[in-house]
Amino acid sequence: FPVTIDKNGKLGLILNGKKILEPRYDVILTDSPIGTITAKQGKVLHYFDSTGKRLEINGLEWFLNASDMAQFKENGIAVCYKMGRYGLIDQKGKIRIKCAYDMALPIYNAVWPVQLKGSWGLVSLDEKVLLPLQYQRIVPFSNYGFLVENTEGLGLVSASGSWILEPKYKAIKSFGSAYLLVEKEKANRTYNIVTGK
């Protein structure tokens, strides 16, 4: 594993006693499962292979959640940011989904939660819309997929985009490893236990 060095507040990397990145970066991330190194220099995002050789990926900007989303995962895809918009890029520098979204979450089970004009939806890594951009909120939900919220309530959708529970509940909680506890919005509270998976 590379060792971080600090010189005058700037970071670099040493691997096996050899300097692979000069200390000129503000942030360095080395825990990518495919071995790439992600570094921030000012507002610019840089990618390197495990030997410190710069990858030919240019023009990308550092963003708020870059430490969680800008690293290449097992599928070789990372979230990228350019001119205030989010997109997806592969490790060869090819834009997989153009930077068009206002907000995004990390990729989860090969599905990407994205927001455009205040509405959330789900897209696959090949840009197929799995859930239209019409929801108030979407977050990953344990082993099931995604918790989705609209004006009707909460629902649960699988990573393939099919509904497990339609969005009409006040609360949805995991109950053990195979059950969900759901609460409907009524004058008298009603709790239902739904088998999962």
Side-chain angles (χ1 to χ4, degrees), residues 111-152:
V111 177
W112 191 35
V114 293
Q115 182 193 54
L116 185 62
K117 297 180 183 175
S119 295
W120 286 88
L122 297 174
V123 295
S124 66
L125 300 183
D126 60 358
E127 206 169 2
K128 179 182 172 194
V129 175
L130 301 173
L131 194 64
L133 291 154
Q134 62 186 34
Y135 297 91
Q136 294 172 336
R137 184 171 59 124
I138 295 179
V139 293
F141 189 77
S142 65
N143 302 342
Y144 297 97
F146 298 89
L147 189 65
V148 177
E149 181 179 5
N150 68 10
T151 56
E152 306 290 316

Side-chain angles (χ1 to χ4, degrees), residues 69-138:
M69 301 191 313
Q71 290 185 298
F72 293 106
K73 303 298 179 189
E74 292 89 0
N75 53 25
I77 304 291
V79 176
C80 61
Y81 187 75
K82 191 171 186 174
M83 298 179 66
R85 302 273 186 216
Y86 294 86
L88 293 182
I89 192 167
D90 68 21
Q91 63 196 63
K92 293 179 181 174
K94 180 181 177 193
I95 297 290
R96 296 286 296 265
I97 296 179
K98 68 179 181 174
C99 294
Y101 295 102
D102 300 330
M103 191 61 123
L105 294 177
I107 297 166
Y108 179 77
N109 286 341
V111 177
W112 191 35
V114 293
Q115 182 193 54
L116 185 62
K117 297 180 183 175
S119 295
W120 286 88
L122 297 174
V123 295
S124 66
L125 300 183
D126 60 358
E127 206 169 2
K128 179 182 172 194
V129 175
L130 301 173
L131 194 64
L133 291 154
Q134 62 186 34
Y135 297 91
Q136 294 172 336
R137 184 171 59 124
I138 295 179

Side-chain angles (χ1 to χ4, degrees), residues 7-57:
K7 183 175 180 183
N8 299 324
K10 297 295 181 181
L11 303 176
L13 284 180
I14 295 177
L15 180 63
N16 299 327
K18 179 183 173 196
K19 192 182 298 181
I20 61 171
L21 286 184
E22 291 292 328
R24 63 174 75 135
Y25 301 96
D26 303 312
V27 176
I28 296 178
L29 306 170
T30 59
D31 59 348
S32 169
I34 62 170
T36 57
I37 299 165
T38 308
K40 174 185 186 263
Q41 186 177 34
K43 293 183 178 183
V44 180
L45 183 65
H46 299 278
Y47 288 102
F48 302 90
D49 69 11
S50 59
T51 67
K53 179 182 174 196
R54 183 183 305 272
L55 301 178
E56 293 301 319
I57 302 173

Side-chain angles (χ1 to χ4, degrees), residues 126-189:
D126 60 358
E127 206 169 2
K128 179 182 172 194
V129 175
L130 301 173
L131 194 64
L133 291 154
Q134 62 186 34
Y135 297 91
Q136 294 172 336
R137 184 171 59 124
I138 295 179
V139 293
F141 189 77
S142 65
N143 302 342
Y144 297 97
F146 298 89
L147 189 65
V148 177
E149 181 179 5
N150 68 10
T151 56
E152 306 290 316
L154 297 172
L156 195 59
V157 68
S158 71
S160 67
S162 59
W163 289 103
I164 297 168
L165 294 171
E166 293 286 331
K168 60 183 178 181
Y169 297 95
K170 181 179 178 183
I172 300 174
K173 299 175 183 167
S174 260
F175 185 69
S177 62
Y179 296 96
L180 297 169
L181 180 63
V182 297
E183 178 183 346
K184 289 183 178 180
E185 179 90 51
K186 298 285 183 194
N188 297 326
R189 288 188 178 177

